[in-house]
């Protein structure tokens, strides 16, 4: 498409060079920039051009152009906005998608730029702007519709405007009322509350009351009575009448037109295929509510303007003024447009270059405009991060028919390609132990054992009350989190399960299972010692690749081979993997191009092999979808410019990052739907809603609300307090609105992980701090309660213990020469009781939203309680909460006959610790004065905490 200087409006110079939103208002048929302070303010008598620029992970910029038409705008201004949109696209290189937006019928994508809503004001350029600030506040009534984005329209302030199906906001001078129609959904009510918050902040400076009124609620409620008082008193509401806004052309037949000299001519065809579209022409695809204008790459600017005018005339002549028009360029068609065709190739033979943008950039550069952002920039290369604490505990089972068999710690990172495996990984979370339970399927594994693995893993998740995140992973598609958890991972050919052996016997297939005395070739890959893999491949020369290192062995020899494109870091991984594959044999290094004959003999001779690294699915810009799954059918709705607030606790959502997908399940979702979460993820991949040819073996994560792992929350600006609130979506939002815009929960920030992986995170295998497996015989204490830490903080240094190291076993160890005497300890026990009795004061009145109570992991063992433990007050139980340490006898005694020691020697991390004392009553060996001093410090620290946290600590003490 040719671009000349006269085609470029000066107002568009420099537009779209960086990510963000730019808006122009049409004044006297020319675009005039709107200042950022006025973004989101639209007037009903005007037309606007809106440009949204998004920076993609690929390094390029994506442009979406919208032109918005107010209900009172003139036809000439609307036409000018449409034409200027085409010109702006030309200035950006002719790749943008262009949307027509009509007031009250805007696309969800457009509204997502202005969350929570837009509320157009009366007036415009031609009539002059109304200065709402200078006017006395007037009462307004708005109707709100929408579950994910809200369409807000002002309606007459009258009882007849109300109905049972919608949500209404009554904005008065001192109070904002939200009226919830009895047939409206919880999600719609919650989204409308965001509009209430917007009105409160924008038009009341955040200083007014908010009230929620339920349809059908009795007049006895004060706020309900006050609401109906504005309408002259309560009266039954009429049934909703169907308006033009509610009408949709559901059954409208799809028609294709080509544009000739500004006229739309029908295209006769039995079915819609990509081959019908000619790169030298423009076409109109009429789908009723949606109308698309397709513009070939070789069409001129005038031809594109003519096609846009023909589309406007088409909807006007058909009396469909509210139809949405989208204009797409050949090679940059939207998913929605491509989905209308029966066949659409994955790639087309369109030559797409930077020529268009380059010519525009050259023109602008001569005018002195900075055009650095107009051309594509190189993508930023980042080392993949696992976004998970890698210092946790790992436990692995192999699946054999219907059973799972625990794998010893020494072998739990060695998998077989013909097997299925279940892993459970626990790691330090925000306020409790977090879990990831997953399944791994080898390429040669059998369907029966895959089904068994999923069933067994699902039961494990269910037994933990659906708190763990769940993963489904296939060999060859492992995510970075998986490799970082295992750190060193080996995949052998073949399998040892009975299901695999039965399969190869029935199909008369050779057993490929790796044998010690056989020839085996392993490809070594990874980014460092904390993320390295050895994958067994066919022992032939064609399996080699210049970008990798390999290990080749038989019963008597071991060779290491380094490709010419490998780095010293890649070659270092070979030695580490040799320790696991052939630990007691000396290797013979081989460099590509100088191999020995013996090396080639083991591979059966020389042959050609590739040099490029194997391509893995790269992470792309994420997409969020709301899901409805019923009777095996899945419907999804994309949510644009998503945030955490879009995740509704009643619904299921899918986050698609291309390399993996997450199925997020809200707390209020029913149990049956929770059990179907994996099926929903598989259906999503099967339907390929984004038309990107996703693999059915893409990793799937199932994430439960309130237990979101960091590798999920990184796609949001995450506030963990919001996911910890109780109640449905409406109740949560109402509490936030009434609390001034912030959650009532004051939870601590997510704990900083010990390491998120990377090349230098774990420099040596011997330096790993985490335990690689659970031992069934090992008693593991997840950690002491926060309340106990508050009391015991003066007796030990919490930073002295590695976060991944479990505390020692809780048990009572009495000194050899001193027996416990409860009578002698009574005075100090009473002192503790006196202190902690103040902790047991009645809590304040219950708030609407409470933080989630601390839960104990099922794997966490508890010390055996005494027979009367249930009757003991919390203050008495505090005495028994200590940890095991070596002790020795002291030299002095207090007035009760017990030896006394200085505080510095009683601390856990003391360089000169005492021995032969009862470590379960460490405080009794302090002098009376020092005991009171330290206990007083603990009490002061406790009362500096927020009241809700004090209550939470006292709840935590109940665990002991």
């Amino acid at each position: 498409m040719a671009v000349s200087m006269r085609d470029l409006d000066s107002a568009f110079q420099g537009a779209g060079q960086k990510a963000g939103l730019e808006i122009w208002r049409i004044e006297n048929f020319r675009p005039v920039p709107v200042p950022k302070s006025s973004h989101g303010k639209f007037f009903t008598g005007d037309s606007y051009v809106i440009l949204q620029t998004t920076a993609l992970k690929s390094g390029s910029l994506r442009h979406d152009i919208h032109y918005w038409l107010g209900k009172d705008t003139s036809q000439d201004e609307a036409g000018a906005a449409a034409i200027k949109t085409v010109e702006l696209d030309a200035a950006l290189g002719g790749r943008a998608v262009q949307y027509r937006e009509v007031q009250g019928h805007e696309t969800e994508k457009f509204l997502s730029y202005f969350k929570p809503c837009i509320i157009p004001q009366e007036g415009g350029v031609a009539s002059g702007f109304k200065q709402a600030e200078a006017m006395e506040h007037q009462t307004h009534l708005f109707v709100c519709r929408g579950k994910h984005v809200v369409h807000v329209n002002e309606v007459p302030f009258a009882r007849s405007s109300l109905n049972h199906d919608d949500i209404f906001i009554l904005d008065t001078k001192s109070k904002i009322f939200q009226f919830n129609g009895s047939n409206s959904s919880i999600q719609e009510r919650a989204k409308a509350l965001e509009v209430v918050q917007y009105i409160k902040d924008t038009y009341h400076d955040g200083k007014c009351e908010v009230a929620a009124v339920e349809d059908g609620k009795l007049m006895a409620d004060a706020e309900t009575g006050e609401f109906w008082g504005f309408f002259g008193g309560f009266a039954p509401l009429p049934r909703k009448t169907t308006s033009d806004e509610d009408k949709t052309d559901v059954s409208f037949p799809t028609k294709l037109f080509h544009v000739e000299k500004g006229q739309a001519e029908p295209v006769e065809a039995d079915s819609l295929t990509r081959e019908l579209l000619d790169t030298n022409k423009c076409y109109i695809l009429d789908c009723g509510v949606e109308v698309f204008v397709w513009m070939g790459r070789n069409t001129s600017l005038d031809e594109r303007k003519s096609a846009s005018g023909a589309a406007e005339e088409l909807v006007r002549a058909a009396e469909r003024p509210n139809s949405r028009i989208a204009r797409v360029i050949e090679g940059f068609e939207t998913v929605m447009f491509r989905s209308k065709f029966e066949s659409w190739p994955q790639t087309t033979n369109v030559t797409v270059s930077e020529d268009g943008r380059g010519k525009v950039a050259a023109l602008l550069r001569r005018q002195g405009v900075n055009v650095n952002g107009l051309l594509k920039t190189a993508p930023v290369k980042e080392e993949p991060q696992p976004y998970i604490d890698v210092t946790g505990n790992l436990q692995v089972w192999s699946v054999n028919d219907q059973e799972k068999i625990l794998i010893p710690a020494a072998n739990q990172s060695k998998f077989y390609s013909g097997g299925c495996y279940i892993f459970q990984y626990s790691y330090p979370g925000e306020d409790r132990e977090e879990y990831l339970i997953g399944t791994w399927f080898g390429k040669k594994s059998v369907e029966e054992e895959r089904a068994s693995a999923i069933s067994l893993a699902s039961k494990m998740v269910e037994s933990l009350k659906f708190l763990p995140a769940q993963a489904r992973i296939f060999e060859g598609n492992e995510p970075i989190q998986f490799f970082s958890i295992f750190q060193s991972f080996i995949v052998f050919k073949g399998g040892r399960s009975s299901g695999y052996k039965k399969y190869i016997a029935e199909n008369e297939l050779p057993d490929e299972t790796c044998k010690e005395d056989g020839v085996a070739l392993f490809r070594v890959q990874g980014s460092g010692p904390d993320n390295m893999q050895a994958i067994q491949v066919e022992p032939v020369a064609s399996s080699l690749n210049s970008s990798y290192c390999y290990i080749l062995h038989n019963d008597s020899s071991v060779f290491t081979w380094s490709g010419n494109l490998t780095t010293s870091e890649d070659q270092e991984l070979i030695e580490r993997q040799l320790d696991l594959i052939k630990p007691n044999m000396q290797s013979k290094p081989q460099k590509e191009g100088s191999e020995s004959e013996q090396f080639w003999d083991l591979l059966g001779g020389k042959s050609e092999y590739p040099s490029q690294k194997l391509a893995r699915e790269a992470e792309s810009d994420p997409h969020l979808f709301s899901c409805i799954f019923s009777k095996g059918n899945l419907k999804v709705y994309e949510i644009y410019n998503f945030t955490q607030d879009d995740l509704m606790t009643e619904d299921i959502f899918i986050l698609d990052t291309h390399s993996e997908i997450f199925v997020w399940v809200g707390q209020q979702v029913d149990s049956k739907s929770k059990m179907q979460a994996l099926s929903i993820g598989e259906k999503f991949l099967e339907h390929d809603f984004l038309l990107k040819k996703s693999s059915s073996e893409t990793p799937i994560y199932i994430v439960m609300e309130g237990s979101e792992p960091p590798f999920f929350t990184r796609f949001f600006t995450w506030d963990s307090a919001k996911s910890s609130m109780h109640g449905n979506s409406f109740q949560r939002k109402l509490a936030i609105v009434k609390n001034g815009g912030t959650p009532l929960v004051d939870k601590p920030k997510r704990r900083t992980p010990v390491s998120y992986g990377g090349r230098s995170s774990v420099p040596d295998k011997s330096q790993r701090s985490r335990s690689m497996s659970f031992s069934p015989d090992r008693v593991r204490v997840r950690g002491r309660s926060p309340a106990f830490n508050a009391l015991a903080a003066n007796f030990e240094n919490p930073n002295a213990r590695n976060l991944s190291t479990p505390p020692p076993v809780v048990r009572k160890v009495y000194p050899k020469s001193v027996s416990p005497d409860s009578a002698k300890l009574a005075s100090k026990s009473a002192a503790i009781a006196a202190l902690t009795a103040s902790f047991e004061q009645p809590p304040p009145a219950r708030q609407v939203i409470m933080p989630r109570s601390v839960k104990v992991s099922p794997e966490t063992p508890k010390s055996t309680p005494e027979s009367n433990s249930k009757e003991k007050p919390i203050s008495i139980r505090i005495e028994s909460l200590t940890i095991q340490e070596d002790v020795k006898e002291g030299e002095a005694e207090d007035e009760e006959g017990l030896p006394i020691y200085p505080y510095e020697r009683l601390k856990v991390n003391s360089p000169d610790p005492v021995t032969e004392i009862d470590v379960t009553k460490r405080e009794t060996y302090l002098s009376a004065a020092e005991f009171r001093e330290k206990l007083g410090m603990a009490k002061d620290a406790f009362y500096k905490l927020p009241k809700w946290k004090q209550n939470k600590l006292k709840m935590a003490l109940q665990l002991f």
Side-chain angles (χ1 to χ4, degrees):
M1 180 183 66
V3 181
S4 64
M5 290 293 292
R6 65 181 179 83
D7 295 326
L8 300 177
D9 195 296
S10 59
F12 294 144
Q13 292 182 4
Q17 295 186 37
K18 59 182 180 180
L21 194 66
E22 298 172 81
I23 303 177
W24 296 264
R25 183 175 57 241
I26 301 300
E27 299 182 12
N28 297 322
F29 311 111
R30 297 292 302 276
V32 176
V34 175
K36 285 189 176 181
S37 59
S38 296
H39 284 189
K41 294 181 180 178
F42 294 90
F43 289 85
T44 61
D46 288 334
S47 298
Y48 297 80
V49 175
I50 300 94
L51 170 63
Q52 173 67 22
T53 303
T54 306
L56 304 178
K57 287 184 176 292
S58 63
S60 61
L61 296 175
R62 185 188 70 211
H63 297 107
D64 292 286
I65 307 175
H66 306 254
Y67 60 103
W68 185 87
L69 310 177
K71 65 182 180 64
D72 299 323
T73 191
S74 67
Q75 186 171 330
D76 291 339
E77 276 194 352
I83 296 301
K84 291 301 178 183
T85 300
V86 179
E87 292 181 11
L88 177 57
D89 173 54
L92 296 171
R95 298 184 180 186
V97 180
Q98 305 155 47
Y99 303 88
R100 176 179 182 262
E101 309 286 352
V102 178
Q103 180 182 342
H105 300 271
E106 297 87 353
T107 62
E108 293 196 354
K109 187 167 192 169
F110 175 80
L111 292 176
S112 72
Y113 305 147
F114 307 100
K115 288 183 177 180
C117 65
I118 61 171
I119 303 179
Q121 302 177 36
E122 294 292 328
V125 173
S127 59
F129 297 103
K130 293 183 179 180
Q131 300 296 325
E133 307 84 86
M135 299 175 61
E136 182 71 18
H137 186 280
Q138 297 182 356
T139 300
H140 296 275
L141 182 64
F142 302 97
V143 61
C144 300
R145 298 186 179 96
K147 181 177 176 181
H148 304 300
V149 295
V150 188
H151 289 83
V152 181
N153 292 305
E154 186 170 2
V155 294
F157 175 33
R159 188 203 316 276
S160 58
S161 297
L162 304 176
N163 61 64
H164 299 294
D165 300 311
D166 296 319
I167 297 166
F168 296 84
I169 295 175
L170 178 64
D171 178 20
T172 69
K173 184 175 182 180
S174 60
K175 203 168 193 176
I176 303 174
F177 297 86
Q178 176 170 317
F179 176 81
N180 300 319
S182 57
N183 296 332
S184 62
S185 68
I186 292 174
Q187 297 92 322
E188 290 174 317
R189 300 178 185 189
K191 277 297 176 183
L193 277 172
E194 295 180 7
V195 180
V196 170
Q197 183 71 55
Y198 170 79
I199 294 174
K200 178 181 177 181
D201 294 338
T202 305
Y203 301 107
H204 297 269
D205 296 325
K207 300 175 183 178
C208 73
E209 295 183 51
V210 172
V213 177
E214 297 298 326
D215 183 12
K217 198 168 187 179
L218 297 177
M219 289 285 292
D221 180 85
E223 291 181 334
T224 301
E226 185 179 358
F227 171 80
W228 286 111
F230 284 96
F231 296 92
F234 174 80
L237 295 180
R239 288 190 176 184
K240 181 179 178 181
T241 57
T242 303
S243 64
D244 292 338
E245 297 178 354
D246 302 313
K247 294 178 181 179
T248 57
D249 297 320
V250 177
S251 59
F252 193 92
T254 301
K255 299 177 182 178
L256 181 65
F257 302 86
H258 72 271
V259 180
E260 290 288 345
K261 298 179 180 181
Q263 299 297 318
E265 302 292 338
V267 175
E268 300 296 334
D270 295 331
S271 61
L272 288 177
T273 62
R274 170 64 180 83
E275 290 71 23
L276 293 174
L277 305 179
D278 184 349
T279 188
N280 299 302
K281 294 182 179 181
C282 293
Y283 294 82
I284 296 175
L285 183 65
D286 187 1
C287 305
V289 176
E290 297 169 314
V291 177
F292 298 91
V293 179
W294 184 89
M295 297 173 280
R297 295 292 296 176
N298 294 334
T299 54
S300 67
L301 181 60
D302 288 338
E303 287 176 319
R304 296 182 183 186
K305 289 181 179 180
S306 178
S308 299
E312 296 277 355
E313 180 61 32
L314 179 67
V315 298
R316 188 163 46 246
E319 297 184 351
R320 289 184 280 130
N322 297 326
S323 292
R324 297 168 180 168
I325 299 177
R327 300 194 287 252
V328 297
I329 309 297
E330 180 184 7
F332 299 92
E333 296 88 353
T334 63
V335 172
M336 185 62 70
F337 177 80
R338 286 181 284 147
S339 67
K340 304 297 182 181
F341 289 76
E342 293 186 10
S343 62
W344 193 278
Q346 181 68 8
T347 57
T348 57
N349 296 324
V350 178
T351 302
V352 179
S353 68
E354 293 291 325
D355 291 346
R357 293 189 180 200
K359 292 177 182 178
V360 174
L363 292 172
L364 296 178
R365 193 179 290 113
R366 287 200 295 271
Q367 298 179 6
V369 178
N370 180 8
V371 295
N372 291 336
L374 187 59
L375 298 176
K376 181 177 179 179
T377 58
V380 179
K381 293 185 178 180
E382 298 179 351
E383 185 72 24
Q385 296 293 317
Y387 294 95
I388 190 172
D389 191 319
V390 298
T391 64
N393 296 306
L394 178 65
Q395 195 172 12
V396 183
W397 295 264
S398 63
V399 176
N400 190 31
D401 281 339
Q402 305 294 323
E403 300 177 341
K404 58 184 175 76
I405 302 171
L406 183 65
I407 299 177
N411 296 321
Q412 63 183 11
S413 63
K414 299 177 180 179
F415 285 18
Y416 284 87
S417 188
C420 296
Y421 298 83
I422 300 172
F423 64 91
Q424 175 177 291
Y425 180 67
S426 65
Y427 57 97
E430 180 178 308
D431 58 354
R432 64 162 185 255
E433 199 87 337
E434 301 287 356
Y435 290 90
L436 173 63
I437 294 176
T439 54
W440 182 92
F441 302 145
K443 291 182 178 179
K444 299 296 181 68
S445 59
V446 297
E447 283 297 330
E448 291 79 4
E449 290 186 336
R450 291 182 182 183
S452 295
I454 290 176
S455 176
L456 292 168
S458 297
K459 290 178 181 177
M460 293 170 64
V461 172
E462 188 176 2
S463 69
L464 293 174
K465 299 181 179 180
F466 296 100
L467 291 178
Q470 188 175 352
R472 189 217 65 178
I473 298 170
F474 282 87
E475 179 186 353
N477 289 276
E478 297 90 348
I480 183 65
Q481 294 86 236
F482 178 85
F483 285 145
S484 296
I485 289 171
F486 281 84
Q487 299 186 354
S488 177
F489 185 67
I490 304 174
V491 179
F492 296 96
K493 294 176 71 67
R496 294 184 174 179
S497 70
S498 57
Y500 173 77
K501 293 179 179 178
K502 180 181 178 181
Y503 175 80
I504 61 174
E506 290 178 349
N507 292 275
E508 299 181 352
L509 299 173
D511 189 354
E512 300 177 326
T513 305
C514 183
K515 299 179 176 59
E516 279 293 320
D517 57 350
V519 177
L521 179 65
F522 294 86
R523 182 181 68 247
V524 178
Q525 60 193 38
S527 61
D530 58 335
N531 173 16
M532 56 182 183
Q533 304 90 45
I535 312 298
Q536 187 178 359
V537 296
E538 288 293 328
V540 293
S542 59
S543 296
L544 299 176
N545 188 311
S546 301
S547 296
Y548 294 95
C549 297
Y550 290 80
I551 296 172
L552 174 66
H553 75 79
N554 61 6
D555 58 340
S556 59
S557 303
V558 178
F559 294 90
T560 60
W561 185 86
S562 302
N564 288 333
L565 300 180
T566 59
T567 65
S568 58
E569 293 169 326
D570 295 329
Q571 294 159 18
E572 180 186 348
L573 298 183
I574 300 181
E575 300 302 321
R576 295 182 179 276
Q577 292 289 18
L578 273 174
D579 293 340
L580 301 172
I581 296 174
K582 282 290 183 178
N584 301 317
M585 296 183 67
Q586 184 65 35
S587 65
K588 301 175 183 179
Q590 306 284 305
K591 184 68 177 174
E592 183 179 6
S594 57
E595 300 89 348
S596 65
E597 288 299 324
Q598 186 182 4
F599 174 82
W600 291 119
D601 289 343
L602 280 179
L603 292 178
K606 295 182 180 181
S607 68
E608 292 185 359
Y609 52 82
S611 60
Q612 293 184 345
K613 276 203 169 186
L614 301 177
R616 296 183 64 88
E617 291 288 356
E619 185 178 281
S620 64
D621 298 278
H623 297 261
L624 183 68
F625 298 87
S626 172
C627 303
I628 299 177
F629 188 64
S630 177
K631 298 180 179 179
N633 297 318
L634 178 64
K635 293 183 178 180
V636 300
Y637 303 89
E638 184 167 5
I639 299 174
Y640 301 97
N641 297 297
F642 60 84
T643 66
Q644 181 184 355
D645 290 335
D646 291 311
L647 300 175
M648 295 286 191
T649 187
E650 297 81 15
D651 294 330
I652 294 177
F653 293 82
I654 287 181
L655 180 67
D656 184 357
T657 69
H658 189 61
S659 60
E660 52 197 6
I661 70 168
F662 299 84
V663 182
W664 184 90
V665 183
Q667 291 179 358
Q668 305 266 336
V669 172
D670 60 89
S671 297
K672 181 181 178 181
S673 296
K674 287 180 180 179
M675 298 298 294
Q676 294 175 330
L678 180 58
S679 299
I680 291 174
E682 291 173 337
K683 280 283 186 183
F684 181 84
L685 291 175
E686 176 186 335
H687 286 291
D688 191 23
F689 289 99
L690 291 176
L691 303 180
K692 58 184 182 181
K693 303 298 181 184
S694 296
S695 169
S696 61
E697 297 184 355
T698 299
I700 298 175
Y701 291 99
I702 301 170
V703 177
M704 295 295 167
E705 181 184 13
S707 300
E708 294 88 351
F711 51 89
F712 171 80
T713 60
R714 71 187 182 93
F715 294 102
F716 302 80
T717 301
W718 196 260
D719 182 355
S720 57
K722 290 182 178 180
S723 63
S724 303
M725 298 171 72
H726 289 296
N728 60 39
S729 298
F730 173 71
Q731 292 167 338
R732 296 181 187 186
K733 289 280 177 67
L734 183 61
I736 291 176
V737 170
K738 289 191 173 183
N739 193 44
T742 57
L744 296 178
V745 184
D746 184 18
K747 290 175 67 69
K749 298 296 183 183
R750 191 174 288 274
R751 185 189 303 192
T752 302
V754 176
S755 171
Y756 271 167
R759 293 186 185 275
S760 60
S761 298
V762 186
D764 192 277
K765 181 180 177 182
S766 62
Q767 296 180 13
R768 293 183 195 167
S769 59
R770 74 172 172 86
S771 168
M772 288 296 291
S773 69
F774 287 112
S775 170
D777 301 324
R778 189 184 83 183
V779 179
R780 184 171 188 275
V781 178
R782 178 170 60 86
R784 294 161 296 176
S785 71
F788 176 69
N789 287 334
L791 292 175
N794 297 291
F795 292 94
E796 68 178 72
N797 180 6
N799 297 322
R801 179 180 293 120
N802 189 300
L803 290 176
S804 65
T805 305
V809 179
V810 175
R811 66 181 184 185
K812 295 186 177 182
V813 180
Y814 296 117
K816 296 178 181 178
S817 60
V818 181
S819 60
D821 187 342
S822 58
K824 291 182 179 181
L825 301 180
S827 62
K828 288 177 182 176
S829 298
I832 298 176
L835 170 68
T836 55
S838 61
F839 297 170
E840 297 176 339
Q841 298 169 355
R846 183 180 179 184
Q847 297 173 330
V848 177
I849 302 172
M850 296 290 293
R852 198 171 57 253
S853 60
V854 177
K855 294 183 175 65
V856 178
S857 165
E859 280 73 27
T860 304
K862 300 179 182 178
S863 56
T864 305
E866 308 226 358
S867 58
N868 61 346
S869 62
K870 291 185 178 180
E871 300 175 359
K872 291 183 179 182
I874 296 175
S875 56
I876 301 301
R877 284 180 233 153
I878 295 176
E879 298 178 78
S880 63
L881 302 180
T882 55
I883 66 174
Q884 174 187 347
E885 293 288 342
D886 292 333
V887 296
K888 69 179 181 180
E889 294 182 4
E891 297 113 10
E893 293 184 352
D894 67 358
E895 67 276 8
E896 296 174 339
L898 292 177
I900 61 174
Y901 300 95
Y903 167 71
E904 295 300 324
R905 294 192 64 195
L906 287 171
K907 292 195 303 182
V908 171
N909 60 347
S910 173
D912 182 25
V914 296
T915 57
E916 298 299 333
I917 64 171
D918 182 356
V919 295
T920 66
K921 294 179 175 59
R922 193 181 293 270
E923 70 281 354
T924 62
Y925 297 92
L926 284 172
S927 65
E930 200 165 16
F931 175 80
R932 285 193 295 271
E933 176 189 354
K934 301 301 179 185
L935 216 51
M937 291 171 62
K939 181 176 180 180
D940 291 341
F942 178 84
Y943 282 111
K944 288 180 181 178
L945 298 173
K947 195 67 178 177
W948 72 265
K949 189 171 289 188
Q950 294 179 23
N951 295 335
K952 186 174 181 180
L953 298 185
K954 287 184 284 185
M955 290 169 60
L957 280 173
Q958 299 289 350
L959 300 177
F960 298 91

